[in-house]
Amino acid sequence: MYYNQSEADMQYPSVLDFVLGDVTGDGIPDKIYLTGVRTQSSPYILDITLVIQDGRTSLQISVPLEENAGYNPKLSLWDFTGDGIKDIFIGIDSGGSGGIIFYYIYSFVHNVVRRMFDFQIFNEQYQYSVAYKDNYKVHVIGKYKSERTSPLQLPTPADDICIAEENNKEYILDISNKGNDYLNEIYDENGMLKEPIEGFVDPLSGMYPVDFDSNKVYELLSFQKIAGRYHADGLGYVQNILKWCGNKFVLDSQYVAILGADKKE
């Protein structure tokens, strides 16, 4: 999305969000900010930047974000790696009709900035095909792609070996409860497709830190909307659970959640 500002509309950078916590690992709380340029005529924010102030030395470092404009930027601190040091979790609403959200996760251990998660890399790797089939079925199939490694990822310990799932599962959705008006546009009286129809799965539209193991180490629960003939034709969500493994987040498990229908009497 592009927003054109006049000089009269331009504002100086301001603090958009703030958290306090130890992200360097020295036991002293650090100050973490999101700053950006607000505008008088729109809630759209430009030049969103991560700023970290070391609690021990008061030195600051600014980290520009690749996607640095949007709405409602938020940050929070969680331990994703299990080292007992908080990592920085950032979310920015894109404002588009698809509800797409920009997510980044950064580490700042020993005052070294490393990007642990980038939503664009996730969207490249977690893609799917969606195809309507006869007898009121829709097939959703993950498209496995080799990983694009971020140059800022953490180094991998030599003895850290992970078993990860691959995004190549197949799911069969039953859409027979979508209603006669909907189904009659797509299927004949015998339940056969009138013509080939393909749907799609959105990019990342929600991601939440969750401690599934209750061990104070957080995983990521992500959501991607499954759509049919058009975006408002929601069929469900692909849910991926990612966990930190050595130098990156890997797929731990994957599910599809479908939308229910009113119970028939």
Side-chain angles (χ1 to χ4, degrees):
M1 181 179 293
Y2 177 74
Y3 180 76
N4 186 22
Q5 282 188 303
S6 67
E7 290 185 8
D9 197 36
M10 182 71 76
Q11 301 293 309
Y12 291 106
S14 58
V15 175
L16 309 172
D17 202 3
F18 166 79
V19 290
L20 187 68
D22 178 23
V23 295
T24 62
D26 62 5
I28 300 173
D30 307 297
K31 296 178 180 179
I32 302 94
Y33 305 85
L34 281 181
T35 65
V37 176
R38 299 182 185 274
T39 61
Q40 295 178 349
S41 59
S42 170
Y44 195 61
I45 300 173
L46 302 174
D47 298 327
I48 300 171
T49 303
L50 170 64
V51 179
I52 307 167
Q53 183 178 39
D54 187 300
R56 182 175 59 85
T57 65
S58 295
L59 294 176
Q60 286 191 174
I61 182 171
S62 295
V63 183
L65 306 179
E66 189 169 346
E67 288 290 344
N68 65 349
Y71 300 86
N72 194 34
K74 294 292 184 183
L75 61 81
S76 55
L77 303 181
W78 312 87
D79 180 8
F80 294 108
T81 67
D83 62 1
I85 304 171
K86 300 295 186 181
D87 306 303
I88 304 167
F89 181 82
I90 300 171
I92 304 169
D93 296 343
S94 70
S97 60
I100 308 306
I101 304 179
F102 309 145
Y103 288 104
Y104 295 103
I105 299 176
Y106 284 91
S107 165
F108 196 58
V109 178
H110 304 314
N111 297 90
V112 178
V113 177
R114 296 184 175 95
R115 186 172 63 235
M116 300 169 59
F117 181 89
D118 184 322
F119 76 97
Q120 295 187 86
I121 296 176
F122 176 93
N123 289 336
E124 289 177 6
Q125 296 172 2
Y126 290 86
Q127 298 186 16
Y128 313 83
S129 65
V130 179
Y132 283 70
K133 300 294 183 180
D134 294 335
N135 300 312
Y136 315 115
K137 300 295 192 298
V138 175
H139 288 201
V140 180
I141 302 175
K143 297 179 179 179
Y144 175 73
K145 290 178 176 285
S146 59
E147 295 192 34
R148 177 164 70 89
T149 301
S150 165
L152 299 179
Q153 285 179 330
L154 299 173
T156 306
D159 58 349
D160 198 340
I161 300 175
C162 295
I163 299 176
E165 295 290 329
E166 293 180 351
N167 180 41
N168 60 359
K169 299 291 190 295
E170 178 178 10
Y171 303 91
I172 301 175
L173 312 186
D174 185 339
I175 60 169
S176 59
N177 62 1
K178 291 283 282 184
N180 290 333
D181 290 343
Y182 179 92
L183 297 175
N184 289 339
E185 293 179 359
I186 301 173
Y187 295 96
D188 64 20
E189 63 276 9
N190 297 314
M192 300 294 107
L193 278 172
K194 294 179 179 179
E195 61 181 10
I197 297 177
E198 292 186 356
F200 56 94
V201 174
D202 277 341
L204 187 59
S205 58
M207 192 169 71
Y208 308 94
V210 181
D211 182 5
F212 287 101
D213 303 322
S214 299
N215 61 357
K216 299 182 180 181
V217 179
Y218 286 79
E219 291 77 40
L220 294 171
L221 173 59
S222 70
F223 287 78
Q224 294 172 272
K225 182 179 179 180
I226 306 169
R229 295 176 297 168
Y230 43 85
H231 195 269
D233 182 15
L235 303 179
Y237 288 88
V238 179
Q239 299 177 335
N240 290 301
I241 297 176
L242 310 178
K243 67 177 181 180
W244 185 256
C245 182
N247 73 333
K248 60 186 176 182
F249 284 99
V250 299
L251 180 60
D252 184 58
S253 54
Q254 184 182 81
Y255 308 89
V256 163
I258 62 173
L259 302 178
D262 292 337
K263 182 179 179 182
K264 297 179 180 179
E265 299 295 337

